[in-house]
């Protein structure tokens, strides 16, 4: 398959890389642990060095960070780069860089029924805003605005909004976090590190996020209770965001933690907390929520960004 694009989905913990042709569909997918490399340039360079045949000419990277200009700094990892300098170092004629959840939003129209798990009932209103949000190393958020002339994607840093409490156990969590961290952001709880903090506060145990989820899936009471509190807070925050963006086009839960917890959503307080926003409970109940199970949706979205870049260059040729 002709290789025209180098794709990357760069998170705080792992990076996914692939190649794509003119259709933007990823192939030769590789998943790397960021701790194994000193920089993004080293990581992407190692991937390119292992390729056979012609190298990709263009790149489309999704990064877990705001993208405001040439200088990009990851939010939850001490990596930074200059877009033009990185393009030159990797031998790319052009490099597009977008926020990782903006890339996920670009991927939403390509997801199939097999890629999704529905949480509760609901019916999307075609043409209305679509919310994409999910916990991983941090909490990512973006909004897709479907348009006949081409979809519009808005990146967001909603994970850094302040988090409040509704119940007594949440108030206890917030009090602990204020003491340890100062002002509490949403992703201080709704992230991998946040799940670890939450479990330590609620149970006194220090476990990894993977261990907490695994134990919860296998019916361990303490870990399941932590996951239920996590999912209740997540549902409430998503309901807040769905109201903020009028996301009647649907809500898609992405991120590694969301995928790992997918089969707990239905039997948790998640959907009830999402809906419970008087006087708009009935309004929120109509919004469908899907958990994204596709293994590399960020690459799928980056491929669509790259595909559009190829089309623009072809039109200008």
């Amino acid at each position: 398959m002709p290789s025209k694009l180098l794709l990357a989905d760069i998170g705080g913990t792992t990076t996914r890389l692939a190649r794509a042709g003119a259709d933007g569909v990823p192939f030769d997918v590789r998943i790397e642990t960021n701790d194994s490399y000193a920089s993004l340039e080293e990581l992407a360079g190692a991937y390119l060095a292992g390729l056979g045949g012609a190298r990709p000419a263009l790149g489309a990277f999704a990064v877990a960070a705001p993208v405001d200009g040439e200088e990009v700094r990851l939010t939850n990892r001490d990596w930074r780069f200059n877009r033009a300098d990185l393009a030159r170092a990797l031998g790319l004629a052009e490099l597009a860089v977008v926020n990782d959840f903006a890339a996920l939003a670009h991927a939403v129209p390509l997801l199939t029924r097999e890629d999704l798990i529905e949480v509760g009932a609901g019916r999307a209103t075609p043409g209305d805003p679509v919310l994409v949000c999910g916990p991983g190393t941090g909490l990512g958020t973006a909004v897709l605005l479907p348009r006949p002339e081409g979809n519009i994607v808005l990146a967001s840093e909603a994970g850094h909004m302040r988090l409040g409490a509704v119940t007594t156990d949440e108030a206890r969590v917030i009090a602990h976090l204020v003491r340890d961290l100062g002002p509490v952001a949403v992703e201080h709880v709704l992230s991998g590190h946040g799940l670890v903090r939450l479990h330590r506060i609620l149970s006194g145990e220090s476990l990894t996020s993977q261990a907490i989820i695994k134990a919860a899936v296998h019916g361990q009471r303490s870990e399941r209770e932590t996951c239920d509190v996590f999912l209740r807070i997540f549902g409430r925050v998503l309901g807040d965001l769905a109201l903020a963006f009028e996301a009647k086009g649907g809500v898609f839960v992405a991120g590694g933690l969301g995928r790992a917890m997918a089969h707990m959503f239905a039997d948790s307080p998640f959907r009830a907390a999402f809906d419970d926003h008087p006087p708009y409970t009935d309004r929120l109940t109509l919004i469908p929520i899907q958990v994204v199970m596709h293994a590399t949706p960020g690459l799928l979205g980056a491929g669509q960004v790259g595909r559009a870049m190829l089309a623009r260059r072809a039109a200008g040729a």
Side-chain angles (χ1 to χ4, degrees):
M1 183 178 293
S3 174
K4 295 179 177 293
L5 295 167
L6 172 65
L7 308 179
D9 177 17
I10 305 146
T13 305
T14 61
T15 293
R16 295 159 177 82
L17 302 108
R19 293 190 284 171
D23 60 1
V25 177
F27 64 94
D28 282 348
V29 175
R30 185 182 301 170
I31 301 175
E32 298 285 356
T33 302
N34 292 348
D35 284 345
S36 300
Y37 298 89
S39 67
L40 176 58
E41 180 182 335
E42 180 184 323
L43 190 160
Y47 176 81
L48 288 170
L51 297 178
R55 282 188 164 198
L58 308 176
F61 287 9
V63 296
V67 180
D68 301 318
E70 291 293 298
E71 301 294 329
V72 179
R73 180 175 181 175
L74 269 69
T75 303
N76 290 302
R77 185 169 196 85
D78 189 22
W79 278 4
R80 60 193 311 163
F81 63 90
N82 175 280
R83 185 192 60 82
D85 290 346
L86 182 60
R88 280 191 293 271
L90 299 177
L92 302 171
E94 185 177 350
L95 173 62
V97 181
V98 298
N99 171 265
D100 59 340
F101 268 76
L104 284 166
H106 281 291
V108 162
L110 303 179
L111 297 174
T112 67
R113 188 172 299 177
E114 290 70 30
D115 296 323
L116 303 167
I117 292 177
E118 188 172 28
V119 183
R123 184 182 292 263
T125 306
D128 277 349
V130 175
L131 173 65
V132 184
C133 184
T137 306
L139 182 78
T141 310
V143 176
L144 172 70
L145 303 176
R147 297 291 183 269
E149 64 277 13
N151 294 335
I152 298 170
V153 169
L154 305 176
S156 168
E157 291 299 325
H160 297 274
M161 300 186 306
R162 294 294 177 239
L163 180 66
V166 172
T167 63
T168 54
D169 58 350
E170 291 175 14
R172 176 186 166 203
V173 169
I174 296 295
H176 274 268
L177 292 175
V178 167
R179 183 192 65 197
D180 295 342
L181 303 172
V184 181
V186 169
E187 71 171 33
H188 285 151
V189 172
L190 299 181
S191 63
H193 294 303
L195 182 63
V196 171
R197 293 186 187 105
L198 185 61
H199 189 63
R200 187 168 56 244
I201 292 168
L202 295 177
S203 73
E205 297 178 316
S206 293
L207 298 174
T208 66
S209 57
Q210 295 92 337
I212 294 166
I213 294 170
K214 182 177 179 180
V217 168
H218 286 87
Q220 294 298 314
R221 181 177 176 181
S222 175
E223 286 80 2
R224 181 60 201 241
E225 287 176 353
T226 294
C227 288
D228 279 348
V229 173
F230 181 98
L231 289 168
R232 185 179 72 221
I233 295 171
F234 186 29
R236 189 179 75 245
V237 169
L238 271 187
D240 293 342
L241 293 171
L243 288 174
F245 292 112
E246 277 283 88
K248 293 185 290 183
V251 173
F252 289 80
V253 175
L257 214 61
R259 187 165 60 249
M261 302 177 81
H263 296 287
M264 285 190 274
F265 279 75
D267 296 326
S268 78
F270 170 82
R271 181 76 209 209
F274 177 88
D275 293 341
D276 187 20
H277 285 70
Y280 292 117
T281 297
D282 291 345
R283 192 181 191 88
L284 288 169
T285 301
L286 296 174
I287 295 176
I289 303 176
Q290 312 276 354
V291 181
V292 178
M293 300 302 291
H294 191 287
T296 55
L299 288 179
L300 205 62
Q304 294 309 296
V305 172
R307 182 173 177 245
M309 181 168 53
L310 285 168
R312 286 195 301 270
R313 289 174 70 91

